[in-house]
Amino acid sequence: MLNPCITRFVISLALGLITLGGLETTGLGFSVGSAHAQAATDPRDLIPNYAERTSRQYAVIGEGLPGAKIRFYNAKNPVALPLGERTRIAFKLEGPAPEGSNLQLSAQFDGSDEPVAGFAHTLTGPDWVIDPEKIAALPAGVVELRAVVRVKDEQVQLLRQPFVVIGPEEESEDQALRQALEEVAEANGRQRYTSGDGIDGFSIGFPDDLPLFYVLGSGEPVVPVVRGDLPSNADVLSVAWSNPLRSLVKEYAHVTPTPRHQIEASRMDLLPPGLTMVQLLVRHNGRVVQKIQQPMLIVVSEPDASLLPTNPQEPEPEPSLSFAGPQPVTSAQPRLGEGWLDLSPSRDSRIIYVSSSTGDDGNDGTSPRTAVKTPARGYSLIRGNKPDWLLFKRGDVFDARMPGIYKSGRSVDEPLVFGAYGEGPRPVFQTNRGVIANAAKSGGSPPIRYIVFRDLHLYANTRDPANPAFSWDDAKSNIHGIRWAHPAHNIVFENLLIEYFQQGVSLIPRDPRNTSALVGKDFTLRRCVIRFNYGTWRDGHRGKSQGLYASRMDGVRIEGCIFDHNGWDPRVDRAVKNKFNHNIYISIDNARMVVTGNIITRAASNGIQLRSGGVIDGNLFAYNPIAGFAAVSDSRISNNVVLHGNDFRSDDPGERRGFGLTLFNLRKGVMENNIVAYRDSVRTSPGLKIEGSVREAQVRNNIVFWWHDRQNQGLTVNAQRSTRSNNTTDNYARFEDPQRTLDHWADEMGFRNGPAWLDSLRSQQKGDWREERTAAAVIEWVAEGFELDD
């Protein structure tokens, strides 16, 4: 029996609705991506005389650029190029390129002077990167790229570099079967789920060790796990959806026999070979109250054991501490398309349109022409436990909050959606109250589930000091952009702009019967901009303020967001930097926290306090008094860049900080692949720190540059037990180009300084999403500069 696993192939499930005797069920479709051939040997062996041709790292014919040197950037460029894929091939420029410099590019089939048609083009800088579309158009085989270096019209150099373009291999029957098994394993990881509340006293589900495949004619039944007894007015219907027809297998549908509810072999033999979704539908008084679904591969003979996918969740143990850091996994969310949630209405979705400029609450709201006017009226027209959509007109301004959110969607793939329609900027909710909110209802109310909020602008206009409507009374008020207090599962916030509240986002779900329970499960915050949320300290009001605060959460992923200038605003009296206000504050009573790929800058105090522990990976920190820390549970801080640690106030010794990244008070921790550089604070402190309250630590591949304590230590490790390797803390190490400050990045982007570039990030949104505004782009640029110069 097999343990379902998630493999490297991506599969997509297209769920449609069909009615069978008044019963709503879902259909299944699979999208299979092609895989490129993997070279059996080192791809360099496929290039004739590769070692000889590249022994000097770059081919030089001619005198070259006056005062500068340019070459193929071998340290970054791959040798093998997958056929048809956009690949980055770059040049390395050392010294300033003279005015009028350019590269005239061409490609030749290896061993001949025959040019590759359509490849020739010219580079003029400043990036000196070959057009990836041109690379994708190269034919399979060995090609030589040539660059004629010119200053104005004079040719001064010729650069040559061979590459091998690897095409797709023919797929054998075994390979096709292996890929199908990997796909169904992937489906098991993402689409095997149970939805609906079911019936008290009865539960049913597919066993965890159910095989990925079913062999036709095997005579084996599929035996579910059953607990309790069904009432007399209930039954369990089993249906199946086949691929590639994406259709219901009508001859298969049947009511399972009590009490075991097993699916007999005679029924399974009715299924066609291929990928299939088998579903159990629990019905009560003729109404479906629960759905359990299981992907399976229907085969005519048992696959060879060598074709079965291995379990990738069993990592190689660390040689010393056997710990690689936590890898929290949250439940499935709607699939992604080009970095954004890939959502579409279901067949029975009700779509309601709301417009403050053209709507009328007397309309039915079912089209843009008959839009209703107010959020309250729109909310009243959507249904609970359905995949309905409530859409607000882009460019409209709503001087009202949303009603309390207590309705749910149908499933992960069919969520309830709050979004936008039309053209123009996000619809604006401007108010001196919270916009998205609910309260923890008593009496054991069920959790809210499966909601997506996206493409909205939440704006506390009366707290914006630049707005004529600014009110000092409102500036002192504790207003939340999002205040989520009711227990909930699978909630997604995407492409939101949230600004000028005291608390930008508060995730504080609470069960009145058990106030310490973690009742907020699997929340995701993706590609949101959360900025200039602040608190004031006056009249006894402490004014604690955060961009995001989380408590009693189990599974939160904060990904690709911008948290900038939260907790303070120098334009507002008493809205000052202090140790209580932060960009992100994760309290100790949380679990499974992941903070990845975010820009976290200009906080009042901490960029992030991860008091419950978890993962801090791939983030850009800048201009924070304290970049961040993780504590309590096993944690990993990796692949981050930290720049410009500053102070609350530099003229007061008690207000100085300038701290980098820290691990403390936990059992096991990993600190790896981080770059910490250029402390602006006058206080001396290490850029990276592992405190003595950590029992075991692995510290490797970190760089600390001009961020040291009084003992000239950029990295201090006081863990009870630790392993350290390949860390560089020498201020005079010979890096390629260590002058990688945020001011330099801003200058390359056309801004006067780092803060001006950060101000521009407010416009980062779907439809105007620019990679140069992401943490990944800045991190890559900084990392290139901090490569050791051989």
Side-chain angles (χ1 to χ4, degrees), residues 453 482 484 491-496 507 523-526 528:
F453 297 89
I482 297 173
W484 196 283
I491 309 297
V492 179
F493 304 98
E494 182 185 76
N495 194 36
L496 304 182
L507 304 179
F523 277 53
T524 301
L525 198 77
R526 300 189 64 256
C528 296

Side-chain angles (χ1 to χ4, degrees), residues 477-493:
S477 300
N478 187 9
I479 302 171
H480 303 238
I482 297 173
R483 187 181 188 277
W484 196 283
H486 192 82
H489 302 172
N490 296 96
I491 309 297
V492 179
F493 304 98

Side-chain angles (χ1 to χ4, degrees), residues 250-304:
K250 295 181 180 179
E251 59 272 22
Y252 168 89
H254 66 288
V255 174
T256 59
T258 56
R260 300 183 66 190
H261 298 282
Q262 70 180 23
I263 304 173
E264 302 296 343
S266 59
R267 288 286 180 179
M268 295 298 296
D269 287 343
L270 297 175
L271 298 174
L275 296 168
T276 300
M277 182 71 80
V278 178
Q279 295 177 339
L280 300 175
L281 302 162
V282 181
R283 301 188 297 186
H284 191 212
N285 291 324
R287 184 173 67 89
V288 176
V289 295
Q290 194 169 49
K291 179 178 71 176
I292 301 96
Q293 66 180 35
Q294 171 73 50
M296 298 186 72
L297 182 66
I298 308 301
V299 296
V300 295
S301 60
E302 185 164 349
D304 185 274

Side-chain angles (χ1 to χ4, degrees), residues 354 361 374-381 392 401-403:
V354 187
D361 280 351
T374 63
R377 176 57 177 160
Y379 184 79
S380 71
L381 296 175
F392 300 89
R401 61 184 300 178
M402 289 189 186

Side-chain angles (χ1 to χ4, degrees), residues 517-551:
L518 305 186
V519 292
K521 296 184 178 181
D522 301 314
F523 277 53
T524 301
L525 198 77
R526 300 189 64 256
R527 294 192 171 187
C528 296
V529 179
I530 301 173
R531 63 187 295 273
F532 279 87
N533 299 283
Y534 66 87
T536 58
W537 292 66
R538 171 175 284 219
D539 300 331
H541 178 62
R542 293 180 64 82
K544 292 184 178 180
S545 172
Q546 329 295 334
L548 179 143
Y549 175 78
S551 173

Side-chain angles (χ1 to χ4, degrees), residues 388-406:
D388 289 353
W389 291 41
L390 183 60
L391 303 181
F392 300 89
K393 187 178 180 181
R394 291 183 178 274
D396 276 6
V397 176
F398 295 88
D399 294 313
R401 61 184 300 178
M402 289 189 186
I405 306 297
Y406 297 102

Side-chain angles (χ1 to χ4, degrees), residues 12 334-337 340-344 413 454 494:
S12 138
R335 59 185 178 272
L336 300 179
W340 300 99
L341 294 183
D342 185 10
L343 297 175
S344 57
D413 292 288
R454 63 178 187 175
E494 182 185 76

Side-chain angles (χ1 to χ4, degrees), residues 421-442:
Y421 73 95
E423 302 293 331
R426 302 177 181 97
V428 179
F429 289 81
Q430 64 174 27
T431 175
N432 61 356
R433 303 172 65 194
V435 178
I436 298 172
N438 52 35
K441 288 188 174 181
S442 59

